[in-house]
């Protein structure tokens, strides 16, 4: 009888814990569902062909689009990725495979500090750096890429470092036993074994910076015209487009609000596509390694 009572109590506790877990999940996912519903319902009004094929040049009220902002976001994020990934990956390799002593400890501390740096500080640093070289009034897309790379690099380092640590030491030792030098072991054994996780970390880092507004507002500026050259003049991005559309409404305020919501919806779609792409690439490399 006592055993049955104990079993019932355990069953009741298990049911209560299950209910609490599902309730916490529901509470956590409600804001996400609300956000997605609001973005889709508000942004659908301008989620049309004109929004993706026109800029805001000479547009005062309704009409226009965000092609110039989409192009700017893609180019600046791509440049930031090209800067951050090699630096982050090489730093992670150093910390895991070669780093010993005070230098490695100092690098780890600096990475931890950079992980928590406010985005506005990264923008001010990039602005000061380019102001020294080009003058205080400089605004260009490449400066925005440098600012984003400051935010992206520590995320790449941390994610790549953790993935490299997961590679079993037995694989390294087997490679060394065959006479393979360390650098070649890293290239041919360690990196391929951790490639799925590294790519996922890079995608997460891109998703983390693609929606940043403050640094781009400072160093990339904003414009209503197309600019394909990130090394010359101001360049518009989607986060700045959303901010400027909502904060600087004209006579037809609803047209500006609709464009702002449409830009926010495009950003959400881009982040969702990056995460799905990361999962697909991770699954592909996992299948490839398991063969």
């Amino acid at each position: 009888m006592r055993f049955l009572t104990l079993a019932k109590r355990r069953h009741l506790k298990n049911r209560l814990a299950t209910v609490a877990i599902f309730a916490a999940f529901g509470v956590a996912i409600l804001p996400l569902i609300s956000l997605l519903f609001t973005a889709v319902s508000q942004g659908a009004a301008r989620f049309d062909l004109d929004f993706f094929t026109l800029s805001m040049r000479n547009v005062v009220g309704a009409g226009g689009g965000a092609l110039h902002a989409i192009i700017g976001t893609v180019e600046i994020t791509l440049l930031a990725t090209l800067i951050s990934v090699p630096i982050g990956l090489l730093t992670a390799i150093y910390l895991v495979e070669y780093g010993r002593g005070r230098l490695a400890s100092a690098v780890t501390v600096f990475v931890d500090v950079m992980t928590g740096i406010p985005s506005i500080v990264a923008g001010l640093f990039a602005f000061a750096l380019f102001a020294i070289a080009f003058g205080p009034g400089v605004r260009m897309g490449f400066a925005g890429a440098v600012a984003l790379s400051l935010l992206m690099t520590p995320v790449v380092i941390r994610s790549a470092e953790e993935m490299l640590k997961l590679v079993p030491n037995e694989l390294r030792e087997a490679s060394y036993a065959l006479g393979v030098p360390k650098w070649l072991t890293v290239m041919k054994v360690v990196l391929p074994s951790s490639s799925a996780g590294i790519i996922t970390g890079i995608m997460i880092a891109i998703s983390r910076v693609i929606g940043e507004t403050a640094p781009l507002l400072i160093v990339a500026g904003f414009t209503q015209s197309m600019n394909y050259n990130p090394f010359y003049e101001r360049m518009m991005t989607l986060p700045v487009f959303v901010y400027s559309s909502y904060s600087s409404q004209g006579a037809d305020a609803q047209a500006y609000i609709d464009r702002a919501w449409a830009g926010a919806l495009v950003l959400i779609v881009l982040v969702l596509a990056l995460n799905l792409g990361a999962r697909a690439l991770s699954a592909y490399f996992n299948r490839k390694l398991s063969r």
Side-chain angles (χ1 to χ4, degrees):
M1 190 70 178
R2 183 178 179 183
F3 175 77
L4 291 176
T5 304
L6 182 61
K8 288 181 179 180
R9 289 174 59 187
R10 289 178 175 175
H11 180 69
L12 178 60
K13 290 180 179 179
N14 180 64
R15 292 296 298 271
L16 290 175
T18 303
V19 170
I21 289 172
F22 278 98
F25 171 75
V27 172
I29 203 172
L30 275 177
L32 176 61
I33 295 175
S34 175
L35 173 65
L36 291 175
F37 175 78
T38 305
V40 172
S41 60
Q42 297 290 335
R46 280 306 321 273
F47 207 77
D48 50 25
L49 185 61
D50 287 345
F51 190 80
F52 294 95
T53 57
L54 299 176
S55 68
M56 288 299 295
R57 184 177 177 84
N58 298 327
V59 176
V60 177
L67 179 61
H68 59 311
I70 295 173
I71 295 295
T73 296
V74 171
E75 290 189 4
I76 290 176
T77 306
L78 180 60
L79 285 172
T81 304
L82 293 176
I83 297 171
S84 303
V85 171
I87 297 174
L89 192 54
L90 291 174
T91 304
I93 292 173
Y94 166 76
L95 291 174
V96 176
E97 303 294 335
Y98 298 94
R100 299 293 184 274
R102 294 182 179 179
L103 180 59
S105 300
V107 172
T108 301
V109 171
F110 286 138
V111 171
D112 291 337
V113 172
M114 288 183 64
T115 302
I117 190 174
S119 60
I120 189 68
V121 175
L124 290 173
F125 172 81
F127 176 79
L129 179 66
F130 280 83
I132 294 173
F134 301 99
V138 63
R139 298 289 190 281
M140 66 173 69
F142 182 68
V146 171
L148 293 185
S149 68
L150 294 174
L151 304 172
M152 186 176 174
T153 300
V155 180
V156 175
I157 294 173
R158 274 285 166 256
S159 59
E161 184 182 1
E162 294 303 320
M163 291 302 106
L164 293 174
K165 287 179 179 178
L166 292 177
V167 178
N169 285 327
E170 288 78 5
L171 294 178
R172 298 179 176 87
E173 293 170 357
S175 179
Y176 299 151
L178 294 173
V180 180
K182 190 167 187 175
W183 69 269
L184 194 57
T185 299
V186 173
M187 292 293 296
K188 297 295 185 180
V189 177
V190 178
L191 287 179
S193 300
S194 57
S195 57
I198 291 174
I199 291 175
T200 302
I202 292 172
M203 293 296 184
I204 292 174
I206 295 174
S207 301
R208 184 250 187 273
V209 302
I210 198 171
E212 288 291 345
T213 306
L216 298 178
L217 191 61
I218 294 174
V219 294
F222 58 91
T223 178
Q224 308 292 1
S225 304
M226 293 294 301
N227 180 15
Y228 295 96
N229 186 359
F231 300 95
Y232 179 74
E233 290 298 333
R234 300 169 183 263
M235 178 172 277
M236 194 65 153
T237 55
L238 273 172
V240 178
F241 175 82
V242 173
Y243 168 78
S244 61
S245 296
Y246 196 83
S247 62
S248 303
Q249 300 172 14
D252 189 357
Q254 189 59 43
Y256 288 83
I257 294 174
D258 290 342
R259 282 194 293 264
W261 277 110
L265 181 57
V266 173
L267 273 176
I268 292 174
V269 171
L270 285 176
V271 172
L272 179 62
L274 286 171
N275 282 274
L276 293 177
R279 288 180 175 273
L281 287 173
S282 178
Y284 169 76
F285 281 105
N286 284 332
R287 288 196 304 267
K288 191 175 180 180
L289 289 172
S290 62
R291 292 178 182 174

